[in-house]
Amino acid sequence: MSYWLTMGVLTIFMCICIKTESSMALKFLKPASLMALILSVFFFTTTPHSLSYFALLCGLALSVFAQIREVSGNQNKRGQLICFALVSLCYSVMFWIQVDKVSWVVPVILLAFSIILFFLLLPLFDGFVIPAAVIGIIVWQLSWAAGEVWKLHHTWSHFTGFIGSLFLALSALIWVIHHFKSSFRYSNYLFLVAYFASQTLITSSIIF
């Protein structure tokens, strides 16, 4: 309970910082929230020192690195996409390690939806078509892996991991629309909530 309460409170504080335009507080809270997740992995995980454990830590560490670069103003859109891809790959490794066998139901459904969404958003990318396609493939196989783990074990923690992977994809979609087309009402809030909810849910699939 303390895990969910802590991450929920931190996310609310970040939303308040966006509302009040408290940029300095937001710059602190973003990496601090991710550091809280890393500490949770160290203190609460039930399977320490497994390959999935280290893959998760790598993903969270890269997320912290990306947030520090972002708040310091040293990262452009392409750099943010690269960091997002690397983080997603780490989480993919975390899930694929837990998969014993695969089925084609989950990936086919996710792939069909991803292709439709990609072509709908194609006019937004403006020179970033290849990076966007790569991100799409990475997010697709991440969701596939998380879905296979949930399908295999049918536990609440693995379900949260699958939902977390979908939230990560949603955060990428909101980010693309916000930065490549135009911001829309509450886009900052939606991106922040989706991104940190995805990190929280994916992390919970390992520590609980």
Side-chain angles (χ1 to χ4, degrees), residues 18 121 124 170-192 194:
I18 293 176
L121 297 175
L124 303 181
L170 176 62
S171 68
L173 174 61
I174 296 172
W175 187 89
V176 166
I177 295 175
H178 179 81
H179 287 281
F180 288 91
K181 184 175 176 58
S182 62
S183 59
F184 54 93
R185 191 177 185 184
Y186 304 128
S187 59
N188 278 333
Y189 298 97
L190 290 174
F191 168 73
L192 186 145

Coordinates of all heavy atoms in Angstrom, one line a residue, residues 18 121 124 170-192 194:
I18 N 2.8 21.4 -12.6 CA 2.5 21.9 -14.0 C 1.4 22.9 -13.9 O 1.5 23.9 -14.6 CB 2.0 20.7 -14.8 CG1 3.2 19.7 -15.0 CG2 1.5 21.1 -16.2 CD1 2.7 18.4 -15.8
L121 N -1.2 8.6 -37.8 CA -0.4 9.6 -37.2 C 0.8 9.9 -38.1 O 1.6 10.8 -37.8 CB 0.2 9.2 -35.9 CG -0.8 9.0 -34.7 CD1 -0.2 8.4 -33.5 CD2 -1.6 10.3 -34.4
L124 N 2.2 13.5 -38.8 CA 2.7 14.2 -37.7 C 4.2 14.1 -37.6 O 4.8 15.0 -37.0 CB 2.1 13.8 -36.4 CG 0.6 13.8 -36.3 CD1 0.2 13.3 -34.9 CD2 0.0 15.2 -36.5
L170 N 1.0 4.5 -24.6 CA 0.1 5.7 -24.6 C 0.9 7.0 -24.3 O 0.7 8.0 -25.0 CB -1.0 5.5 -23.5 CG -1.9 6.7 -23.3 CD1 -2.7 7.0 -24.6 CD2 -2.9 6.5 -22.2
S171 N 1.9 6.9 -23.4 CA 2.7 8.1 -23.1 C 3.5 8.5 -24.3 O 3.7 9.7 -24.6 CB 3.6 7.8 -21.9 OG 4.6 6.9 -22.2
A172 N 4.0 7.5 -25.1 CA 4.8 7.8 -26.3 C 3.9 8.5 -27.3 O 4.3 9.5 -28.0 CB 5.4 6.6 -26.9
L173 N 2.6 8.0 -27.5 CA 1.7 8.6 -28.4 C 1.3 10.0 -28.0 O 1.3 10.9 -28.9 CB 0.4 7.8 -28.4 CG -0.8 8.3 -29.2 CD1 -0.4 8.4 -30.7 CD2 -2.0 7.4 -29.1
I174 N 1.1 10.3 -26.8 CA 0.8 11.7 -26.3 C 2.0 12.6 -26.6 O 1.8 13.7 -27.0 CB 0.4 11.7 -24.8 CG1 -0.9 10.9 -24.6 CG2 0.2 13.1 -24.3 CD1 -1.3 10.6 -23.2
W175 N 3.2 12.1 -26.3 CA 4.4 12.9 -26.5 C 4.6 13.3 -27.9 O 4.9 14.4 -28.3 CB 5.6 12.1 -26.0 CG 6.9 12.8 -26.0 CD1 7.4 13.6 -25.0 CD2 7.8 12.9 -27.1 NE1 8.6 14.1 -25.4 CE2 8.9 13.8 -26.6 CE3 7.9 12.4 -28.4 CZ2 10.0 14.1 -27.4 CZ3 9.0 12.7 -29.2 CH2 10.0 13.5 -28.7
V176 N 4.3 12.3 -28.9 CA 4.4 12.6 -30.3 C 3.5 13.7 -30.7 O 3.8 14.6 -31.4 CB 4.2 11.3 -31.1 CG1 4.0 11.7 -32.6 CG2 5.4 10.4 -31.0
I177 N 2.2 13.5 -30.3 CA 1.2 14.5 -30.7 C 1.5 15.9 -30.1 O 1.4 16.9 -30.7 CB -0.2 14.1 -30.2 CG1 -0.6 12.8 -30.9 CG2 -1.2 15.2 -30.4 CD1 -1.9 12.2 -30.5
H178 N 2.0 15.9 -28.8 CA 2.3 17.1 -28.1 C 3.4 17.9 -28.8 O 3.4 19.1 -28.9 CB 2.6 16.9 -26.7 CG 2.9 18.1 -25.9 ND1 2.0 18.9 -25.3 CD2 4.2 18.6 -25.5 CE1 2.6 19.9 -24.7 NE2 3.9 19.7 -24.8
H179 N 4.5 17.2 -29.2 CA 5.7 17.8 -29.7 C 5.7 18.0 -31.2 O 6.4 18.9 -31.7 CB 6.9 17.0 -29.3 CG 7.2 17.2 -27.8 ND1 7.9 18.3 -27.3 CD2 7.0 16.3 -26.7 CE1 8.0 18.1 -26.0 NE2 7.5 17.0 -25.6
F180 N 5.0 17.1 -32.0 CA 5.1 17.1 -33.4 C 3.9 17.8 -34.1 O 4.0 18.2 -35.2 CB 5.3 15.7 -34.0 CG 6.7 15.2 -33.7 CD1 6.9 14.4 -32.6 CD2 7.8 15.4 -34.6 CE1 8.2 13.9 -32.3 CE2 9.0 14.9 -34.3 CZ 9.2 14.2 -33.2
K181 N 2.8 17.9 -33.4 CA 1.7 18.6 -34.0 C 1.4 19.8 -33.2 O 1.8 20.9 -33.5 CB 0.4 17.6 -34.0 CG -0.8 18.3 -34.7 CD -1.9 17.3 -34.8 CE -3.2 17.9 -35.3 NZ -3.0 18.5 -36.7
S182 N 0.7 19.7 -32.1 CA 0.5 20.9 -31.2 C 0.0 20.3 -29.9 O -0.7 19.3 -29.8 CB -0.5 21.9 -31.8 OG -1.8 21.2 -32.0
S183 N 0.3 21.1 -28.8 CA -0.2 20.6 -27.5 C -1.7 20.8 -27.5 O -2.3 21.7 -28.1 CB 0.4 21.4 -26.4 OG 0.1 22.8 -26.6
F184 N -2.4 19.9 -26.8 CA -3.8 20.0 -26.6 C -4.1 20.2 -25.1 O -3.2 20.0 -24.3 CB -4.6 18.8 -27.2 CG -4.1 17.5 -26.7 CD1 -4.7 16.9 -25.6 CD2 -3.0 16.9 -27.3 CE1 -4.2 15.7 -25.2 CE2 -2.5 15.6 -26.9 CZ -3.2 15.0 -25.8
R185 N -5.4 20.4 -24.8 CA -5.7 20.6 -23.4 C -5.4 19.4 -22.5 O -5.8 18.3 -22.9 CB -7.2 21.0 -23.3 CG -7.7 21.5 -21.9 CD -9.1 21.8 -21.9 NE -9.5 22.4 -20.7 CZ -10.7 22.8 -20.3 NH1 -11.7 22.6 -21.2 NH2 -11.0 23.3 -19.2
Y186 N -4.7 19.7 -21.5 CA -4.3 18.7 -20.5 C -3.3 17.7 -21.1 O -3.0 16.6 -20.5 CB -5.5 17.9 -20.0 CG -6.6 18.7 -19.4 CD1 -7.9 18.6 -19.8 CD2 -6.3 19.7 -18.4 CE1 -8.9 19.4 -19.2 CE2 -7.2 20.5 -17.8 CZ -8.6 20.4 -18.3 OH -9.5 21.1 -17.7
S187 N -2.6 18.0 -22.2 CA -1.7 17.0 -22.8 C -0.5 16.8 -21.8 O 0.0 15.7 -21.7 CB -1.2 17.5 -24.1 OG -0.6 18.8 -24.0
N188 N 0.0 17.9 -21.2 CA 1.1 17.7 -20.2 C 0.7 16.8 -19.1 O 1.5 16.0 -18.7 CB 1.5 19.1 -19.7 CG 2.4 19.8 -20.6 OD1 3.2 19.2 -21.4 ND2 2.4 21.1 -20.6
Y189 N -0.5 17.0 -18.6 CA -1.0 16.2 -17.5 C -1.1 14.7 -17.9 O -0.7 13.8 -17.2 CB -2.3 16.7 -16.9 CG -2.3 18.1 -16.4 CD1 -2.7 19.1 -17.2 CD2 -1.9 18.3 -15.1 CE1 -2.7 20.4 -16.7 CE2 -1.9 19.6 -14.6 CZ -2.3 20.6 -15.4 OH -2.3 21.9 -14.9
L190 N -1.7 14.5 -19.1 CA -1.9 13.1 -19.6 C -0.6 12.4 -19.8 O -0.5 11.2 -19.5 CB -2.8 13.2 -20.8 CG -4.2 13.6 -20.7 CD1 -4.9 13.7 -22.0 CD2 -5.0 12.6 -19.8
F191 N 0.3 13.1 -20.4 CA 1.6 12.5 -20.6 C 2.3 12.1 -19.3 O 2.8 11.0 -19.2 CB 2.6 13.4 -21.4 CG 4.0 12.9 -21.5 CD1 4.4 11.8 -22.2 CD2 5.0 13.6 -20.7 CE1 5.7 11.4 -22.2 CE2 6.3 13.1 -20.7 CZ 6.6 12.0 -21.4
L192 N 2.3 13.1 -18.4 CA 3.0 12.8 -17.1 C 2.4 11.6 -16.4 O 3.1 10.7 -15.9 CB 3.0 14.1 -16.3 CG 3.7 14.1 -14.9 CD1 4.3 15.4 -14.7 CD2 2.8 13.7 -13.8
A194 N 0.5 9.2 -17.6 CA 0.6 7.9 -18.4 C 2.1 7.4 -18.2 O 2.3 6.2 -18.0 CB 0.3 8.1 -19.8

